[in-house]
Amino acid sequence: MKIDWKKAIGLTAAVSMLVPLAACGSGSNGSSGSSGTEAITLSVWAPQEDQAKDSNWLGKVEENFAKAHPEYKITWKNDVVSEGDASKNVATDPASAADVYMFASDQLGTLIERGGIGQLGTDAEKQVKEQNGDLEINSVTGTDGKLYGVPYTDNTWFMYYNKSKITADEAKDFDAMLAKAKVTFPMSNSWYINGFFDGLTLFGKSGNDEKAGMVFPKDGADITSYLVDVVANPNFSNDDGASGLAAIKDGSADVLFSGTWSAKDVKEALGDNYAATQLPTFTVNGQKKQMKSFAATKAVAYNPNAKNTKAAAQFAAYLGSTESQKLHYEMRSIPPTDKSLADLTKDDIAAQAQADTMANTAILQSGLAGMNDWWTPAETFGKALVNKEITKDNAASKYQDWVTQAKGTIAE
């Protein structure tokens, strides 16, 4: 449900309601003048692309926030730190980190552990729950069940395809596509290999149960044997991170698994034949299974070590507000998580495929430290498949080796 700031209380007062005083504290790094205006400084970390001269989304949002809060006279201190680098920078010295920063949700556990991320107040929490689906909400939920970030875009992968070679119905079935078209997939990439292991769970339903651990599907050995056949199929090629897109561009592949970051290139390559959709099903031993991607979000947080936690928390919530997400898409084509903005991206094929994938064919990439046990063993397993070191004869033992190395268990 959309939060209609203008209708509710007027733009100039909008964000003041997002963080209750109990959650914010009364810290201040400024002083009040005779007019009652408080002079404050807010430090902000954001990606370079959000601060570029020709698409300065951050600057525009800061301008809008200042207009909405005449009680502050704000000095902005912006630095370039990508969402992917946020946690390591915060972890180095939380007290010296930015007051507000953008982060990838798989870093949540580290940020909480280091005391560098603030719990959302009641109204900001309400905002997040109204804007987002369960997966997005869970992505910013700590082990204590509390929310620690405001999601503003999803981060997952889905499927692009050439609709002159593959029909919409065929695009729903991986095996049907592989039988007639050239399919490229990052089998050796640990962020993609999980896609075939339907039934995999990561630290419980919400991704924040440390004791639940990683549970691999019971029929994983059969899936592994199926993948031996997939890799051997002459219509299949492994995408090494660049070869897949190159194959789409030169016409030697008809299917690509990637995210919104590839949309522009794929659209240019396929032209009128450009299509994208949520992930397909596949069949193992007569049983239909759903391919599922890892999914996370990019979100905004405030630093509880900020000198003015109230203003920092207010601005973090504003960066993830409906209006700011709308502006983000208009200025930088960043698809919003806010469900009320669905019409904004209705004609954006990649954005729609991403939204459908998040809703229907994805599992949460947990932000807990235990996820670190996934990456290397998964990559090793995927490379062994591609290199044909895994065979029908050793599929079961190789699968068990992977589970053991990842410190996981197999479902009963």
Side-chain angles (χ1 to χ4, degrees):
M1 186 176 91
K2 181 178 180 180
I3 299 175
D4 193 337
W5 304 115
K6 294 183 180 179
K7 183 176 179 181
I9 54 176
L11 182 58
T12 57
V15 187
S16 62
M17 76 176 191
L18 290 177
V19 186
L21 293 177
C24 300
S26 57
S28 172
N29 64 339
S31 58
S32 298
S34 58
S35 64
T37 300
E38 183 181 7
I40 66 171
T41 296
L42 284 177
S43 57
V44 182
W45 286 348
Q48 177 65 57
E49 296 84 353
D50 284 326
Q51 305 181 55
K53 289 183 179 180
D54 59 344
S55 57
N56 189 4
W57 170 76
L58 179 63
K60 182 62 178 176
V61 175
E62 289 175 342
E63 179 184 328
N64 292 344
F65 180 78
K67 289 177 180 177
H69 283 271
E71 72 272 24
Y72 298 135
K73 182 179 180 181
I74 308 171
T75 298
W76 299 100
K77 183 181 178 183
N78 299 331
D79 286 306
V80 174
V81 177
S82 70
E83 297 100 337
D85 290 334
S87 67
K88 66 182 181 183
N89 282 277
V90 172
T92 300
D93 185 1
S96 298
D99 300 324
V100 178
Y101 58 87
M102 301 157 77
F103 71 101
S105 67
D106 62 319
Q107 303 168 2
L108 183 63
T110 298
L111 292 167
I112 293 174
E113 188 178 276
R114 294 291 293 151
I117 191 168
Q119 179 188 329
L120 299 188
T122 302
D123 291 319
E125 181 176 322
K126 180 182 178 182
Q127 171 190 336
V128 170
K129 290 181 176 179
E130 289 179 333
Q131 288 177 309
N132 299 283
D134 290 343
L135 196 150
E136 287 87 356
I137 295 168
N138 289 336
S139 76
V140 292
T141 301
T143 55
D144 56 3
K146 306 299 183 181
L147 271 62
Y148 288 88
V150 183
Y152 61 86
T153 195
D154 292 321
N155 187 25
T156 192
W157 50 271
F158 46 89
M159 190 180 83
Y160 293 98
Y161 66 98
N162 183 334
K163 64 182 181 181
S164 72
K165 303 286 187 67
I166 298 165
T167 67
D169 281 341
E170 289 169 339
K172 298 176 183 178
D173 189 304
F174 184 85
D175 300 309
M177 292 187 294
L178 192 61
K180 65 173 294 187
K182 300 294 185 180
V183 178
T184 181
F185 183 88
M187 194 72 76
S188 58
N189 187 312
S190 55
W191 200 50
Y192 290 83
I193 181 66
N194 58 281
F196 286 100
F197 288 84
D198 188 16
L200 174 72
T201 61
L202 304 172
F203 304 97
K205 183 178 179 181
S206 300
N208 61 359
D209 183 351
E210 290 178 306
K211 293 181 179 179
M214 291 186 282
V215 181
F216 287 67
K218 184 177 182 179
D219 61 351
D222 290 336
I223 296 173
T224 300
S225 182
Y226 164 82
L227 291 177
V228 170
D229 289 336
V230 168
V231 171
N233 192 304
N235 280 344
F236 175 85
S237 64
N238 182 58
D239 180 0
D240 65 8
S243 60
L245 182 58
I248 288 290
K249 288 181 175 180
D250 67 21
S252 60
D254 308 306
V255 178
L256 175 75
F257 292 85
S258 188
T260 54
W261 53 89
S262 296
K264 182 179 178 181
D265 288 332
V266 178
K267 186 175 183 179
E268 288 178 356
L270 296 181
D272 292 340
N273 296 318
Y274 170 66
T277 187
Q278 66 183 33
L279 299 180
T281 60
F282 60 102
T283 302
V284 176
N285 292 342
Q287 292 190 332
K288 185 162 287 189
K289 298 188 172 297
Q290 177 62 61
M291 187 181 287
K292 293 180 181 178
S293 60
F294 275 171
T297 63
K298 293 180 180 179
V300 192
Y302 77 93
N303 190 339
N305 302 289
K307 292 182 180 179
N308 193 316
T309 51
K310 178 180 178 179
Q314 287 175 322
F315 184 58
Y318 190 76
L319 273 170
S321 69
T322 300
E323 286 69 24
S324 296
Q325 287 193 41
K326 181 174 184 289
L327 189 65
H328 215 179
Y329 183 74
E330 291 171 344
M331 295 184 71
R332 288 207 52 233
S333 298
I334 302 297
T337 63
D338 192 312
K339 294 181 290 186
S340 72
L341 295 175
D343 283 348
L344 188 67
T345 59
K346 64 182 180 180
D347 296 324
D348 186 328
I349 292 173
Q352 284 299 302
Q354 176 175 270
D356 290 342
T357 296
M358 291 291 289
N360 305 316
T361 63
I363 62 171
L364 180 65
Q365 179 182 332
S366 175
L368 297 183
M371 272 300 298
N372 291 329
D373 294 325
W374 169 270
W375 306 110
T376 299
E379 180 181 14
T380 300
F381 182 81
K383 287 181 175 178
L385 274 169
V386 172
N387 293 333
K388 297 181 172 54
E389 296 166 6
I390 298 178
T391 66
K392 294 280 191 178
D393 291 336
N394 66 17
S397 63
K398 292 293 186 181
Y399 177 64
Q400 181 61 65
D401 288 346
W402 177 23
V403 174
T404 301
Q405 291 163 10
K407 300 179 183 178
T409 58
I410 295 177
E412 297 180 356

